[in-house]
Amino acid sequence: MMETVTAWLEGPGCFFIALGYIQNNPNRYILQMLVSTGQLYGTVLYIANEVKDGFIHGQLWDPFYFWFYFVVFNTPWLVFPTLLMVQSYMKLVQAQAHVDKTASRKKKN
């Protein structure tokens, strides 16, 4: 199921994020937050299922499967979406602060 979401929603979402960066469109941060959340959720779901099943798809401490495939290959899928979510959060907070400041100035006038 998660692969379907990735293919049909997150894939095009990545395209629109890239287009948003090229065009300097402010909605890119909202899309980036949504796609990153989906990617992080999918990775955590994959890892949790493997842990729950007791690593039946490979030996637990095998140097190739466990450390190279499971740990090394999945680490970027945990790190980068998290960093992009933090970036999106900071940009959205900054934008909201700007709107709030502008609104308070208009009320005073």
Side-chain angles (χ1 to χ4, degrees):
M1 176 65 186
M2 195 63 211
E3 290 84 9
T4 304
V5 171
T6 299
W8 289 100
L9 295 177
E10 294 175 11
C14 290
F15 172 77
F16 288 117
I17 292 166
L19 188 63
Y21 271 96
I22 291 168
Q23 297 176 346
N24 203 27
N25 192 324
N27 73 3
R28 67 188 182 265
Y29 295 110
I30 296 168
L31 291 173
Q32 181 174 291
M33 179 73 86
L34 292 172
V35 169
S36 296
T37 301
Q39 286 294 319
L40 188 61
Y41 172 76
T43 305
V44 169
L45 186 66
Y46 169 73
I47 291 170
N49 279 329
E50 195 64 28
V51 170
K52 178 185 72 76
D53 293 342
F55 293 93
I56 60 173
H57 299 102
Q59 293 179 333
L60 180 57
W61 299 111
D62 180 77
F64 179 74
Y65 174 77
F66 182 77
W67 291 107
F68 188 68
Y69 173 72
F70 192 73
V71 175
V72 172
F73 277 6
N74 284 303
T75 298
W77 294 104
L78 294 171
V79 172
F80 290 116
T82 302
L83 292 175
L84 291 170
M85 288 170 70
V86 169
Q87 180 196 34
S88 296
Y89 172 79
M90 297 304 289
K91 291 292 186 176
L92 293 170
V93 166
Q94 182 182 19
Q96 186 64 49
H98 177 72
V99 168
D100 291 346
K101 187 185 290 185
T102 304
S104 68
R105 283 184 193 157
K106 286 182 180 179
K107 283 183 182 179
K108 289 179 183 178
N109 293 333

